[in-house]
Amino acid sequence: MASEHSDAEHSDAEHPDAEDAENAALALKILVAGGFGVGKTTLVGAVSEIRPLRTEELLSEAGQSVDDTDGVDQKTTTTVAMDFGRITIRSGLSLYLFGTPGQDRFWFLWDELSQGALGAVVLADTRRLEDCFPAVDFFEHRRIPFVVAVNCFAGARRHGAPDVSRALDLDRGTPVVLCDARDRDSGKEVLIRLVEYAGRMHTARLLDSVG
């Protein structure tokens, strides 16, 4: 009997309760990238359920010669390291959001931030669409799944997702979505779309590797 009891305890230790396994928390790392002034800090702040960590500094006169503020004249600060926030998508699934700095002089941080990331959101402004080319190239070359989220600024000309996809010469199947970075629900929909797309991409690559 003692042996049977011991075996039962050993079996329970090796096979945790299914409900506990189902409720185990899963945290995924997501990057939020894009050009200067496109709304990365705004998006992270809008969706985060915790007070977001921000590393913003006032724009300086020294930076005026390198920071193009056309279209974002009211911007007075810039991210110099990263923004950080967290959002729970559903029970047991949380996303840790890392907003990257937009200016190229801070891009040395991107490699560090991208380690272990499930995927990325590339925010785009159709008035300055060329500003997101570096982010698109970065993630494509590193095979990190990403979606392009067009932040619909007031007064900006509206373009459909197919037009933006062609303008950015995106790989076939890369999602393009329209959003309002100030709106929590809109930002959450972008993140859900990314998680679904990244999941499909990672699954397809896994199947290819064992095929």
Side-chain angles (χ1 to χ4, degrees):
M1 293 293 292
S3 176
E4 290 179 1
H5 183 67
S6 176
D7 290 343
E9 288 182 343
H10 183 65
S11 177
D12 288 342
E14 287 187 339
H15 303 286
D17 187 88
E19 184 177 353
D20 290 340
E22 183 178 347
N23 292 331
L26 176 62
L28 303 174
K29 182 179 182 181
I30 301 295
L31 300 188
V32 180
F36 174 70
V38 77
K40 300 180 295 294
T41 297
T42 300
L43 177 64
V44 173
V47 302
S48 181
E49 61 198 16
I50 62 173
R51 183 176 181 180
L53 169 66
R54 292 173 175 167
T55 55
E56 289 193 312
E57 295 292 342
L58 291 173
L59 292 173
S60 64
E61 292 185 7
Q64 290 179 354
S65 61
V66 291
D67 294 332
D68 181 7
T69 58
D70 286 345
V72 287
D73 305 37
Q74 303 303 312
K75 186 172 176 61
T76 60
T77 61
T78 184
T79 299
V80 296
M82 68 173 185
D83 298 313
F84 174 78
R86 185 190 71 204
I87 179 174
T88 301
I89 296 297
R90 57 173 171 76
S91 178
L93 176 59
S94 297
L95 305 182
Y96 289 118
L97 309 176
F98 292 80
T100 65
Q103 300 98 313
D104 54 6
R105 64 182 181 277
F106 296 126
W107 285 350
F108 65 92
L109 294 169
W110 285 32
D111 277 320
E112 193 72 27
L113 289 174
S114 65
Q115 295 297 318
L118 173 77
V121 173
V122 176
L123 271 177
D125 178 353
T126 56
R127 300 170 302 176
R128 301 149 54 96
L129 198 57
E130 67 280 359
D131 289 358
C132 69
F133 275 122
V136 169
D137 289 341
F138 180 90
F139 297 122
E140 283 185 344
H141 290 159
R142 287 160 181 78
R143 302 187 72 211
I144 297 176
F146 68 94
V147 302
V148 173
V150 179
N151 193 8
C152 299
F153 287 89
R157 182 181 175 186
R158 296 298 178 95
H159 296 272
D163 293 333
V164 173
S165 181
R166 283 193 295 270
L168 294 176
D169 193 25
L170 298 177
D171 290 341
R172 184 177 180 181
T174 301
V176 177
V177 295
L178 306 183
C179 75
D180 182 344
R182 302 166 299 178
D183 183 78
R184 175 181 170 82
D185 289 339
S186 180
K188 186 175 180 179
E189 285 300 317
V190 170
L191 295 172
I192 291 173
R193 184 76 177 274
L194 170 63
V195 170
E196 293 174 344
Y197 174 66
R200 292 195 301 270
M201 292 293 291
H202 285 295
T203 298
R205 291 171 184 172
L206 179 61
L207 292 174
D208 286 343
S209 68
V210 298

